[in-house]
């Protein structure tokens, strides 16, 4: 019986790691992202499931766990900066892992996601 409990605990631990911030993902606050969006055209992707109201200027919606399925919609240039967000942040980290495996390395996740964006009083579509 103890063996099964250890296996279940291990599975939960490993699956939870998918949502942790990888070292290669930068984090940006809502204020910083808003400033960046006003200064330059960025590629902004909402990865939250289920679908939510998008931040104004969002380029694409891809469910965080289906990035591979939508790879043809991503920038062809793997050096393109991709900014990600979900509702609170963790799904953005999971999507970043998938994007990293596809060869994208300039990845940034919105700290606190759409919730933090909303609290900062910033625009939605």
């Amino acid at each position: 019986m103890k063996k099964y409990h250890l296996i279940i605990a291990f599975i939960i631990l490993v699956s939870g790691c998918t949502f942790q911030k990888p070292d290669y993902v930068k984090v940006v606050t809502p204020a910083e992202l808003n400033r960046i969006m006003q200064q330059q055209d960025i590629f902004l992707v909402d990865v939250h499931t289920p679908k939510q109201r998008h931040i104004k200027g969002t380029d694409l919606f891809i469910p965080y766990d289906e990035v591979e399925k939508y790879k043809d919609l991503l920038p062809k240039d793997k050096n393109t900066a991709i900014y990600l967000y979900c509702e609170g942040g963790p799904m953005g980290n999971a999507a970043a892992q998938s994007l990293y495996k596809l060869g994208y390395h300039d990845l940034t996740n919105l700290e606190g996601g759409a919730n933090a964006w909303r609290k900062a009083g910033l625009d939605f579509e």
Side-chain angles (χ1 to χ4, degrees):
M1 191 65 145
K2 284 185 180 183
K3 183 178 177 180
Y4 292 113
H5 289 261
L6 287 174
I7 292 171
I8 291 170
F10 178 75
I11 291 170
I12 291 170
L13 177 68
V14 170
S15 65
C17 291
T18 305
F19 290 89
Q20 293 178 358
K21 181 187 140 331
D23 293 339
Y24 49 80
V25 176
K26 293 173 267 184
V27 177
V28 66
T29 66
E32 291 168 324
L33 180 58
N34 187 49
R35 183 178 37 78
I36 292 167
M37 290 173 69
Q38 291 178 13
Q39 294 174 352
Q40 59 186 300
D41 185 26
I42 66 167
F43 193 75
L44 182 62
V45 183
D46 183 350
V47 297
H48 184 73
T49 57
K51 207 169 188 177
Q52 64 180 349
R53 248 177 100 200
H54 302 299
I55 291 173
K56 190 173 183 177
T58 297
D59 295 290
L60 186 62
F61 166 72
I62 298 178
Y64 79 95
D65 56 350
E66 296 182 7
V67 171
E68 177 79 25
K69 182 177 169 182
Y70 292 90
K71 66 183 176 185
D72 293 340
L73 300 175
L74 296 167
K76 302 299 178 223
D77 181 359
K78 304 277 181 153
N79 294 314
T80 301
I82 299 177
Y83 291 81
L84 305 162
Y85 71 95
C86 62
E87 187 174 9
M91 290 180 190
N93 290 330
Q97 287 181 342
S98 298
L99 288 163
Y100 189 81
K101 289 176 185 173
L102 290 173
Y104 294 93
H105 297 279
D106 193 350
L107 304 167
T108 303
N109 191 18
L110 175 60
E111 183 177 33
N115 286 336
W117 188 266
R118 188 177 299 104
K119 285 180 185 174
L122 299 166
D123 293 335
F124 284 86
E125 292 181 347

